Amino acid sequence: MQPKASAINIIWLGLIGVAVVTASYTGRMDEVTSASFESAKAGVMLAIGLIGPMAFWLGIMKVAEAGGLMRMIARALRPVMTRLFPEVPAEHPAMSAMIMNMAANTLGLGNAATPMGIKAMQELDKLAAEKGTATNAMCLFLAINTSSVTLLPLGVITVRAAAGATSPAEILIPAIVATCCSTIVAITMAKLLAGREPGRTLGLSGVAASPAPDAGSSGAKAQPAAGGPAPAKPGGNGIEFPAAPALTPPGRGGRIFIQLLLLAFAGGIIYRLFFGPGAGGEDAVSFFNAVSAWLIPMLIAGLLIFGYLKGVKVYEVATEGAKEGFATAVRIIPFLVAIFVAIGMFRASGAMEIMITVLSPLTERVGLPAEALGMALLRPLSGSGAFGMMSEIVARDPDSFLAFLVSVMQGSTETTFYVLAVYFGAVGITRTRHALPAALTADAAGITAAVIVCNLWF
């Protein structure tokens, strides 16, 4: 029996098919043709631009993993994560990578969140019994990622401040409420739509069982060779993963060096707070921007120092992880090109404008203006396009209800198709199962919550 086509196959084909049909009526066939080439180029350029950050951050993650930080984080948050992801062993690297990705998204650290999310997908793929097919854990992780709670939408606040809004940070609470609703719906839908784990069959006890071992296996556990690495530890679902390697912490000189660095950094904080430019007189927006500027450098240095103190050879391990990041960035190019071309053709054909014209009389009755509807439809498709539309609306009238609404939408939703293309493309997933329906339902819930909250708040 042939596998049923996944939702992303149907939507991707639908976007291209509708674009061509619409262009035959609107006379924009030349624009659609140009968009197909320009979008393909944009997809490749974006993937090339990701190579550097991806290589660097996966190298940093490798240091944290080698030092045991990933296991420590997983143990700390085990009660919550094991309930959300019962298929993933509690101390598997996938668990801590997912936690770090969610934490980065919560703090608005998009540059760090993407490599961490890809690392999580790579680890989840190691647990998959059927390669190329998304597991229940992958679908849930992607649904949460596309609706992730963002406490500090700093980019949106900065745009509002630059446009002269009276209270640029006023969107914080409405955006948090909207994104919390979106995340709750994402988790609920992913759990409701999840079926039997692909590639696993139910045994007599009703517990999911992995496929039988390869022919020729004796069924006995392999014994480690003398002097070899420590044997693998079994996870909560019977899957084995390597134990942490033995490490030698640095000597007294190395510890003194780190202590001097930390003292110097503390001095820098004191200088910045009391004697630096703008000391004591920063407004809320400047404070948020300062926090954003400090978080990523502190995260980089903190992870490397942690690894060094645990005895990790930070340079060698980081460069080894960077090799994996380079290969991953190249691997996602076909997926990005496919998504970008479909979206570019759809927008160039005029289909988006037609959808807005048809739907706006209905949505305006529930407090969603036509321009905000365009933002709602564009947000899952194009992050840069939605950000540009939001910026233009805010610049036109920063204190209007429309500007407030699109700011909350931008700060509380994610670019669903981009996230799915990058994360699934990184591990070669072609059968996405229920990931896209769950994510799009969460998007709709987030937009609906944003409209309700903004109408009550503004």
Side-chain angles (χ1 to χ4, degrees), residues 255-269 301-302 305 309:
R255 293 195 299 272
I256 292 175
F257 171 69
I258 296 300
Q259 290 170 0
L260 291 175
L261 280 181
L262 294 176
L263 286 173
F265 180 71
I269 294 176
I305 289 173
L309 291 176

Side-chain angles (χ1 to χ4, degrees), residues 65 67-82 89-93 95-97 99 233 241-244 306 310:
E65 181 181 347
L69 179 62
M70 311 290 272
R71 290 174 180 266
M72 293 168 59
I73 294 174
R75 287 193 189 104
L77 295 176
R78 179 187 300 177
V80 175
M81 294 299 286
T82 51
E91 295 185 15
H92 194 274
M95 192 69 85
S96 44
I99 293 168
K233 294 183 180 180
F241 50 94
F306 174 85
K310 289 293 185 178

Side-chain angles (χ1 to χ4, degrees), residues 19-36:
V20 174
V21 172
T22 303
S24 68
Y25 286 93
T26 60
R28 298 188 183 182
M29 204 63 79
D30 287 341
E31 289 87 340
V32 170
T33 301
S34 298
S36 66

Side-chain angles (χ1 to χ4, degrees), residues 248-336:
T248 304
R252 183 179 178 184
R255 293 195 299 272
I256 292 175
F257 171 69
I258 296 300
Q259 290 170 0
L260 291 175
L261 280 181
L262 294 176
L263 286 173
F265 180 71
I269 294 176
I270 294 172
Y271 170 78
R272 179 67 178 81
L273 289 175
F274 298 102
F275 307 105
E282 296 187 50
D283 57 17
V285 176
S286 300
F287 173 77
F288 285 137
N289 286 335
V291 169
S292 177
W294 283 57
L295 279 176
I296 287 184
M298 287 174 61
L299 182 62
I300 293 170
L303 291 175
L304 291 176
I305 289 173
F306 174 85
Y308 176 76
L309 291 176
K310 289 293 185 178
V312 177
K313 296 180 179 179
V314 290
Y315 179 76
E316 290 89 339
V317 173
T319 51
E320 187 64 30
K323 294 178 185 178
E324 299 175 12
F326 183 88
T328 299
V330 173
R331 196 181 305 128
I332 66 177
I333 290 178
F335 299 88
L336 281 179

